[in-house]
Amino acid sequence: MTPLISIVIPTYNKSEIISKSILSVKNQTWKNIEIIIVNDASTDQTSIILDKIKKIQVIENDINKGVAESRKVGITQAKGDFICFLDDDDCWDPTHIESLFASMNKEQSDVVFSNYKMNINGVMSEFKMDFFSNNFYEKILLRPGPFIQSCIFKTSIFEDKNLFDSNSIPSEDWDLFITLAKKKLSISYSNHCGFIWNFSKKSQSSNLKNEARAIEYIINKNKETILNVHGKNTLSDHYRRIARIYEKNKNYKIAKNKYNEAYLVSKY
C-alpha cells in the first residue's frame, strides 16, 4: 500500500499566492497525500481563498503564533507516517515528494534532504547540498544547510514537541537540523532539486537584522557542541558570519562588536 504523506503549510497574509503553493502540492506525482493548511490568524482574504479550495484541511489559529508554532499545530493533525513542510510563498516541482520518498525507502532513513532552487524575480539558481551528504553531524555545525521544505521526515520524529524553536526564526531550518543531528538520527541526501524558494522582500530571510539575531541565538545555543566538535576557530568563524550580516544591514557598531568577539574567541 502506498504510504500516506502529510503536507503542512503554515500561512499568514499570503492570499494572493497561497493557491499557487497548494496547486504545486496537488500536482505531485505522489497522490496519497493530505494537505494541512494552518492559517495563522491572517487579516487579509486568506480564509476566503482557502474556503474555495477542495481537498485540503484548514486549521485556523485564534492568534498569530508564527511559522514554528503553526507547524507544530499542523503536526498534531497529521495522519501520515511521513511528513513534509512547505511555506505559503514557495513551490515544489511535480516529482519532489516521489523522489524524496524513493530515497528514504532506499536508505531507510529518518530524514532525507535534497537540493533547492532559488527564484529571485524570475531568475532561477540551483544550490547543491552534497556538502552535507557525509558526516552530517559535523558538517551542519559548520554552516547552515538544507531547507525544511526540501525534506521528508518520519512523522514520529516530531513527537518531541520542542524541535521547532521560535527563537531561531528565520533560521529555524539550521536550528532544527543541528538538533536532529545531535539526536543521532539517520539523515540522508537525495541528489534531486524539487523545492523552489521564491525569495522576495516579504521573505522572512530578507530581514537581515532578524537573521543575524537568529543565527547568534543558534550559535550560542550550540556553543559547547561547536567547540567540542570543531574547536574555537570554527566558533570564531561563526561570530564573523554574524558580523558580516550586521555589516550588510549597516549596523556597523554591532558588527564591530561581533568581529571583536570573533577575535577574542580565536585568541583564547
Side-chain angles (χ1 to χ4, degrees):
M1 183 176 178
T2 304
L4 174 67
I5 299 178
S6 302
I7 317 299
V8 174
I9 307 177
T11 186
Y12 177 68
N13 285 354
K14 295 286 177 46
S15 60
E16 74 279 9
I17 54 176
I18 182 63
S19 297
K20 184 177 180 181
S21 297
I22 295 172
L23 183 61
S24 80
V25 178
K26 287 192 169 189
N27 285 340
Q28 291 295 300
T29 54
W30 189 278
K31 296 303 181 184
N32 193 18
I33 60 175
E34 62 170 359
I35 304 173
I36 302 169
I37 312 296
V38 183
N39 184 12
D40 195 20
S42 296
T43 58
D44 62 358
Q45 300 297 305
T46 295
S47 294
I48 296 173
I49 297 296
L50 294 177
D51 282 345
K52 297 178 181 178
I53 301 176
K54 297 179 180 179
K55 296 183 179 180
I56 62 173
Q57 178 183 350
V58 180
I59 303 169
E60 299 278 354
N61 287 345
D62 293 333
I63 59 172
N64 184 260
K65 298 181 178 181
V67 65
E69 292 301 317
S70 292
R71 287 184 184 129
K72 292 179 185 179
V73 170
I75 290 167
T76 64
Q77 300 301 311
K79 297 181 179 66
D81 289 330
F82 306 93
I83 192 166
C84 297
F85 301 94
L86 186 62
D87 285 352
D88 55 5
D89 51 356
D90 299 321
C91 296
W92 288 332
D93 286 341
T95 60
H96 179 63
I97 294 177
E98 184 176 358
S99 298
L100 285 174
F101 186 80
S103 294
M104 174 166 272
N105 194 42
K106 179 181 178 182
E107 301 294 335
Q108 293 296 297
S109 303
D110 298 305
V111 182
V112 174
F113 66 92
S114 60
N115 308 315
Y116 69 93
K117 303 170 190 172
M118 185 177 185
N119 175 24
I120 303 179
N121 297 323
V123 179
M124 201 80 71
S125 302
E126 183 173 332
F127 293 85
K128 303 276 278 186
M129 292 288 104
D130 53 332
F131 172 78
F132 301 93
S133 60
N134 295 303
N135 302 315
F136 186 86
Y137 177 57
E138 294 181 12
K139 298 286 183 63
I140 198 63
L141 292 170
L142 291 174
R143 61 180 173 88
F147 277 94
I148 293 168
Q149 301 90 337
S150 67
C151 304
I152 187 169
F153 305 84
K154 286 185 177 177
T155 307
S156 58
I157 289 171
F158 297 99
E159 290 174 2
D160 181 347
K161 306 300 183 184
N162 298 314
L163 288 181
F164 286 115
D165 186 344
S166 295
N167 293 314
S168 65
I169 295 172
S171 296
E172 73 273 13
D173 307 73
W174 191 25
D175 180 75
L176 174 66
F177 281 110
I178 291 175
T179 302
L180 295 180
K182 289 164 73 173
K183 286 177 173 289
K184 306 298 184 182
L185 297 179
S186 173
I187 302 174
S188 301
Y189 167 64
S190 174
N191 186 28
H192 87 278
C193 192
F195 166 54
I196 303 168
W197 177 26
N198 293 314
F199 184 84
S200 70
K201 291 181 179 180
K202 292 184 178 181
S203 299
Q204 290 187 126
S205 298
S206 66
N207 188 319
L208 295 178
K209 183 179 179 181
N210 285 348
E211 183 182 0
R213 179 206 53 76
I215 289 178
E216 183 171 9
Y217 169 78
I218 294 166
I219 290 167
N220 289 333
K221 178 180 176 180
N222 297 283
K223 188 174 182 177
E224 292 304 316
T225 303
I226 294 168
L227 282 171
N228 290 336
V229 175
H230 291 294
K232 61 185 181 181
N233 288 337
T234 295
L235 184 60
S236 178
D237 287 342
H238 282 315
Y239 284 120
R240 280 192 287 272
R241 180 193 303 276
I242 298 166
R244 288 192 293 271
I245 298 173
Y246 278 117
E247 274 188 326
K248 286 174 65 176
N249 201 38
K250 299 181 180 180
N251 290 318
Y252 299 117
K253 184 177 180 180
I254 301 177
K256 183 180 179 180
N257 290 336
K258 297 307 167 187
Y259 279 124
N260 286 338
E261 284 189 56
Y263 171 74
L264 292 173
V265 166
S266 63
K267 184 176 180 180
Y268 299 106

